[in-house]
Amino acid sequence: MQAYLIDFVNLLLRWLHVIAAIAWIGESIYFVMLDNSLRSPKAAEDREKGVFGEMWSVHGGGFYHNQKYATAPAKLPNDLHWSFWKAYTTWLSGFALFVILYMVNPGFYLVNPNSPWQWAANLTGWQANLLALAFLLGGWVVYNELCKRISPNMDRDGLLSIAVAVMMVVVAYLSTQMFTGRAAFLLTGAVMATAMSANVFFWIIPGQRRMVKAMKAGDAPNPLDGKRGKQRSVHNTYFTLPVVLLMVSNHYSFIYSHELAWVVMVLLIFAGALIRQFFVLMHAGKPSPPTRPLG
């Protein structure tokens, strides 16, 4: 009976996790696409109102006209749309799954008896659990410090991207040395997923709240809040596809059981980021996205 209940909870949590992830990732990809597809407004009155860019599109039997303001419009509506609960639900449900599937039996799922590091091979169950939690927290701390120290004003984002890429190589290597291959792939993906959710919780949403508060007080929003939110959103979009692949990697033992599993993992991470880059460039018009001219 207990095994049945655990499986049923696993099913419901996994379903919730997938639903929330689809909603979050879909919305995130849409807004990145929208941001990269913006063109300078053609109407003079739009430019005078502070419209930075616009995009016309057709979908679902109707036409849409999206506009983005450089800082903020003259007036905000009361029903302003916010995007954060999907991100939080995705992380919380994913962490709950990790607890049920891995941390309940860490001696089997986390401890790597073949680790080249003796201390890792001899970990007890509770020590492996603590190490896994520290791994997730440490990944966020290091990533966040890289962002704050290398490009605090978003003027060295190129260098920051290289630093984050190097960090992920290190994370992939360390995870495969300390944990079982299956757990290593999952934890590396969880490091990125944790950074994504934490970006929303600690940076993107607080910055947006400050901007809205400033506008309601009649003050000009701090442009750094908008730039910082975009910086973290861009990071999130490049994490997305690698995270999805690493989350499903536990179904393919030939990937995580390879003797150079960390190299395989790194290649998959960069492949996912490059695939995402293709879509980012396509939405920016390089190459031109498939369109159908009117007339």
Side-chain angles (χ1 to χ4, degrees):
M1 184 64 179
Q2 182 179 2
Y4 172 78
L5 290 176
I6 291 177
D7 277 348
F8 189 67
V9 172
N10 175 13
L11 171 64
L12 294 181
L13 274 176
R14 194 179 295 271
W15 194 19
L16 173 63
H17 185 58
V18 170
I19 291 172
I22 289 174
W24 180 24
I25 293 171
E27 190 172 62
S28 174
I29 288 178
Y30 170 75
F31 276 106
V32 172
M33 179 278 295
L34 176 61
D35 205 50
N36 284 306
S37 300
L38 294 173
R39 300 294 181 265
S40 297
K42 296 182 179 180
E45 59 268 25
D46 287 336
R47 294 192 296 270
E48 293 172 359
K49 290 189 298 183
V51 175
F52 169 77
E54 64 181 0
M55 184 189 78
W56 283 87
S57 58
V58 57
H59 183 75
F63 298 93
Y64 297 82
H65 184 202
N66 300 96
Q67 294 180 316
K68 179 179 179 178
Y69 288 80
T71 52
K75 184 179 179 181
L76 285 175
N78 294 325
D79 56 346
L80 187 65
H81 176 75
W82 293 81
S83 299
F84 52 86
W85 279 114
K86 303 177 189 72
Y88 304 159
T89 304
T90 301
W91 190 90
L92 290 171
S93 58
F95 183 74
L97 276 171
F98 178 70
V99 170
I100 291 175
L101 298 179
Y102 286 82
M103 297 185 71
V104 168
N105 192 2
F108 181 77
Y109 288 110
L110 291 178
V111 178
N112 181 7
N114 300 317
S115 172
W117 300 340
Q118 196 63 36
W119 64 267
N122 295 329
L123 288 173
T124 62
W126 69 269
Q127 289 173 333
N129 280 340
L130 288 179
L131 182 62
L133 295 177
F135 197 75
L136 293 179
L137 178 60
W140 157 249
V141 170
V142 172
Y143 162 76
N144 193 48
E145 286 300 314
L146 288 175
C147 294
K148 289 164 60 178
R149 295 176 184 274
I150 295 177
S151 188
N153 297 317
M154 284 61 67
D155 54 355
R156 293 191 295 177
D157 281 355
L159 180 60
L160 174 59
S161 298
I162 295 174
V164 173
V166 172
M167 170 194 155
M168 291 315 306
V169 173
V170 174
V171 168
Y173 176 76
L174 291 178
S175 67
T176 55
Q177 304 307 302
M178 293 188 293
F179 304 101
T180 62
R182 179 179 176 179
F185 273 62
L186 183 69
L187 280 167
T188 300
V191 166
M192 288 188 280
T194 298
M196 291 171 68
S197 295
N199 278 341
V200 176
F201 185 80
F202 291 110
W203 292 101
I204 297 174
I205 294 301
Q208 291 174 346
R209 292 193 187 281
R210 286 192 294 269
M211 294 174 69
V212 170
K213 183 179 180 180
M215 282 199 60
K216 289 183 176 180
D219 301 325
N222 184 351
L224 279 179
D225 281 327
K227 291 181 179 179
R228 189 172 291 113
K230 182 175 181 178
Q231 178 198 66
R232 301 299 179 109
S233 292
V234 169
H235 290 178
N236 281 6
T237 200
Y238 285 105
F239 282 156
T240 297
L241 297 187
V243 167
V244 171
L245 183 57
L246 293 176
M247 290 299 110
V248 301
S249 64
N250 62 320
H251 297 287
Y252 306 97
S253 60
F254 69 90
I255 297 177
Y256 59 74
S257 61
H258 194 279
E259 60 181 4
L260 292 177
W262 73 273
V263 177
V264 175
M265 194 192 316
V266 167
L267 292 175
L268 292 175
I269 290 173
F270 283 104
L274 287 174
I275 293 170
R276 189 70 189 96
Q277 173 69 359
F278 169 79
F279 286 100
V280 169
L281 291 176
M282 185 181 72
H283 293 144
K286 313 170 193 177
S288 298
T291 57
R292 187 182 182 121
L294 297 176

